[in-house]
Amino acid sequence: MTQPARLRHGGRINRDRPVAFTFNGRQYLGCEGDTLASALLANGVHMVARSWKYHRPRGIVGAGAEEPNAIVQLGEGSRTVPNARATQVEIHEGLIARSVNCWPGLEFDLLSLNGLFSRLLPAGFYYKTFMWPKSFWRHYEHFIRKAAGLGEAPTERDPDYYEKFNAHCDVLVAGAGPAGLTAALAAARSGARVIIADEQSEPGGSLLHARESIDGLPAVSWLRRTLAELAAIPDVRVLARSTVFGYHDHNFLAIAERLTDHLAEDRRRGPRERIWRVRAKQVILATGACERPLVFTNNDRPGVMLASAISIYTRRYAVRTGNNAVIFTNNDSAYATVLDLLDAGVRVAAVVDAREQPRGPHLEAARQRGINLMAGSAIVDVRGRRRVQAAVVASLGADANGLRGNDTTVVDCDLIGVSGGHSPVVHLYAQSGGRPLFDEGLAAFVPGPAVQTQRSVGGCRGSFALADCLREGYEAGTAAARETGHDAAATLPPGPGTLERHDYTLRPLWRVPDPPGHARGARQFLDLQNDVSASDVLLAAREGYHSVEHVKRYTALGFGTDQGKLGNINGLAILAQALGQDIAATGTTTFRPNYTPVTFGAIAGRDLGDLFEPIRLTALHAWHVEHGAEFENVGQWKRPWYYPKPGESMHEAVRRECHAARNAVAMMDASTLGKIDIQGPDAAEFLNRVYTNNWHTLKVGQCRYGLMLREDGMVMDDGVTSRLGENHFYMTTTTGGAARVYAWLERWLQTEWPELKVYLTSVTDHWATIAVVGPRSREVMKGVCGDIDFGAASFPFMSFRDGTVAEVAARVARISFSGELAYEVSVPADYARHVWKALMAAGAPHGITPYGTEAMHVLRAEKGYIIVGQDTDGSLTPQDLGMEWIVSKTKDFIGRRSFARADTARPDRKQLVGLQSADPALVLPEGGQIVDRPQWTAPVQTTGHVTSSYFSDALGRPIALAVLQSGRSRIGQTIYVTLGDGRVAPATITHPVFLDREGKRQHG
Amino acid sequence: MLLIPCPWCGPRAESEFACGGEAGIVRPGAPDAVSDAEWADYLFMRTNHRGLHREQWWHAHGCRRWFIVRRDTVTCRIDGVEKMGSAGAAP
């Protein structure tokens, strides 16, 4: 074994299974069960990163989600993961990792020059310098982005897949440490359905390195027994590698389960990650506590670690984190680390305790082993650059704000373990809507009252003793199960046995006094990832930033990928002190989801590519594909756009299709139009209210065009409705508006007019509709339908007949969206292909030509027919569109009252007009803004824009529709359409109907 | 994500619903009889209430019925639901 700092015995790693991995281009060996951080430490690698602003060498600090420094890029190519915490990455054969925050390399870092100029880079430096002058930002940005480091997103398509599970349970437990496990145990024993999730590779939390015994068993043995019991109970699900990252309304929680990233690539099967979307009746939060660092000068040197992390590396991973340690603490818990180090044969040179009279059970045990205890003292400075070489210790004054004299003691060491107390992980509680409260005794924020059906237990509640964790968990599990109807309290076996309890004695120490002769707070780091020091917070306070949220943004405290899990509390305590107020009044910043970063792959799940959105195909789709159609997306529909013949350009194909429609006959698939079947004795009255025109006068067998407005008077949809019977109508809507219109009508019926007896059914997919268009269309229809009289007078424009088309029962309506003589044939969708082919065959002698949406657009634009959503944008009234003719003056309807509003009646509103480009070869750009003068300098007031623009085959020149201020009174004038490249194109304002203004053709 | 007790279908996830905003907005019976300001108030003005709030919801991916939810806008706690047109309830 070539792991120089690996302990010979103990730990939960498998020494028989060496694992080879690469870090920053060098090969290392670790053991199965290692994290990347523990494996690096076992190889004696402490320095793993450089800080982002000053590029100071940085080492591994923690052992979990709180890690600010050991941020790595994993893997290469399409599977690379940026910004993973080395403390949470399990190593596997072939793992490749590199530091994200050093350029050009870890050992030789050009940007560490920043450190020499650190006085130039105080809080707010970026705002003060780089944001001014504004135009210079693009010059700075490249450099800053590079200096800021952090990982790189993969640029290739993700080869893996991810999935989502929806789940329900009685009790969801977040965290499988001692408190979470006893909570799950009690709930499961009571018969509740339980899910317990833990972010680590195996459940157990602090039990995996605890010194204590439970029920006479070593903690890990008790853990094994408990997990075996849980596994044997039905309806209990234990999820490892599963982070509860979001706690949302009504006990909806999201869990990210990592399924394969811990395996060598050739062993990965199935989805890479799974998002659990859990609705829980009861939630128990057992997320533990995070040890808090102490703030002293050069506290960021590699080799300064959390005391608890040292214990974890020593006992769980069998790693010797140093040879000669100094422990710096303000509470008793760090003495457990002292014992762990002594057990592992590590020399403990000194224990520096801020308390004047330290006490506690761990301290007493350590004292018996013989320790050099320096009470009432603090580490004020650290010697060594790439690795700790010595701690400089001084005596604290009575109020801890100053030193007692200028004497210091230098203690040689290569490892400094720090404990400034513990911060309960209240993130999920806060996400649930709760407000954490400051507990003076613990000097920590703890959960306040529960907002949802939720309980916090153990460390995340501020109960740091193992005995309290076990008891609280068991009680909460029992109670939560009872509230879900599983009351077994009377028969439950007792929870784990009681342990000796002790008080949590702590001397708050938010900022260690500066060493003699040093500037205030400089190089006393709060946020190691963002290089925020105590002096930055003090400066922010001096400059008038008093809100903790403002200080956060000004200094970047807590902005890193670790979200300030370690340093925020120290920062806000220092701010409180600077402002002369207490910590409770200063408050915390907001704890937002997600607790730790979640990959985009997991969030997206299967909702990608073809599964991102439904694709709707008409019954004729296969025919269109077989005949070479190019398709256009219209809402979720695929519609034929045009049907190019071999060698034909789009322009040529569309001209050919238009030519057929105007001169012979053409047909299109109009099945995507929204279709709503409307029945009931009040159906006509209902239409009268939702459309602008009169519907009582429509006779059975007739069709009528309708314009639908919102209540503010603006056009929202249009379409033709047919009266099938006295109480029966058939409405068509725009393709894209179908769902919206259907919902709109239902809402008015259900909420405003429940007295109307009207019933709506969406029949969009039930009917296939084929438009047969052109002067020869009557001949074609006669060829396929023998039982309808197609005489011009007996079957007039805007009426429909039921009959038999190609032996299929059909409804034939004489309506036109092209201005030509035209018929729309509707048949049950299953018969669409048969009828379509029959029409094609009947039309062949007449040169029938299938056409797509582009030709449809050209034909309708030649006639000045609007497309709602293209020529309108939700800010146009019927009057703006020149459609006063369809607005009834004798009845009320939705939107009518708004016509009289001052803004709606304004004379200079934009109006629909036509445009004729001066250049006969130029099709004006749709969306092109209109200006009144050819020469102008930005900013300039535009007066309208082009909404539709095509080349018209019938006219042999381009045409365009536009909306233009006071446009109708300006017909004949010249305006200028901006082309987007600085040039403008002159165009003449015209009437919006370019062809057959009298409508002779469609009545033919 | 809210768990909304649809009066027709029972508790369902919020993703099945669409919110229609404040309930009880009364459309003037005779629109021409109200001033522009009153009409604008009906069209555009909502109370943005803090606390218990009656609002319209639509079970869009379910029974497609509109109903009223009484929801606390601070805590999101749902106090109850009403069917449209139930006794004394404005829509």
Side-chain angles (χ1 to χ4, degrees), chain A residues 248-251 279 431-433 451-452, chain B residues 1-5 14 49-53 55 57 69-80:
Chain A
H248 304 277
D249 293 320
H250 295 187
N251 270 8
R279 185 79 69 175
Q431 287 179 26
S432 79
V451 174
Q452 305 195 30
Chain B
M1 179 158 45
L2 304 181
L3 188 67
I4 298 173
E14 181 184 347
H49 186 68
R50 180 185 167 91
L52 204 59
H53 187 237
E55 55 200 14
W57 283 81
V69 176
R70 293 191 307 276
R71 182 180 66 96
D72 189 308
T73 56
V74 178
T75 63
C76 279
R77 198 180 66 81
I78 291 176
D79 182 60

Side-chain angles (χ1 to χ4, degrees), chain A residues 406 445 658 772 813 877:
Chain A
N406 278 343
F445 281 93
C658 290
V772 184
T877 65

Side-chain angles (χ1 to χ4, degrees), chain A residues 248-250 252 277 279 711-712 742-743 747-748 750-752 892-898 900-902, chain B residues 1-3 13 20 27 31-32 34-36 39 42-44 56 58 64-66 76-78 84 91:
Chain A
H248 304 277
D249 293 320
H250 295 187
F252 183 80
R277 299 147 46 92
R279 185 79 69 175
E711 189 72 299
D712 63 1
Y742 183 46
R747 184 173 192 184
W748 281 91
Q750 291 183 31
T751 66
E752 199 66 33
D892 192 32
F893 53 86
I894 295 171
R896 188 192 56 86
R897 171 64 181 82
S898 293
R901 296 184 60 238
Chain B
M1 179 158 45
L2 304 181
L3 188 67
R27 186 174 200 261
D32 293 322
V34 300
S35 68
D36 275 4
W39 184 253
Y42 155 68
L43 272 185
F44 304 121
Q56 292 186 346
W58 182 43
R64 298 183 69 85
R65 302 301 295 174
W66 284 90
C76 279
R77 198 180 66 81
I78 291 176
M84 279 296 159

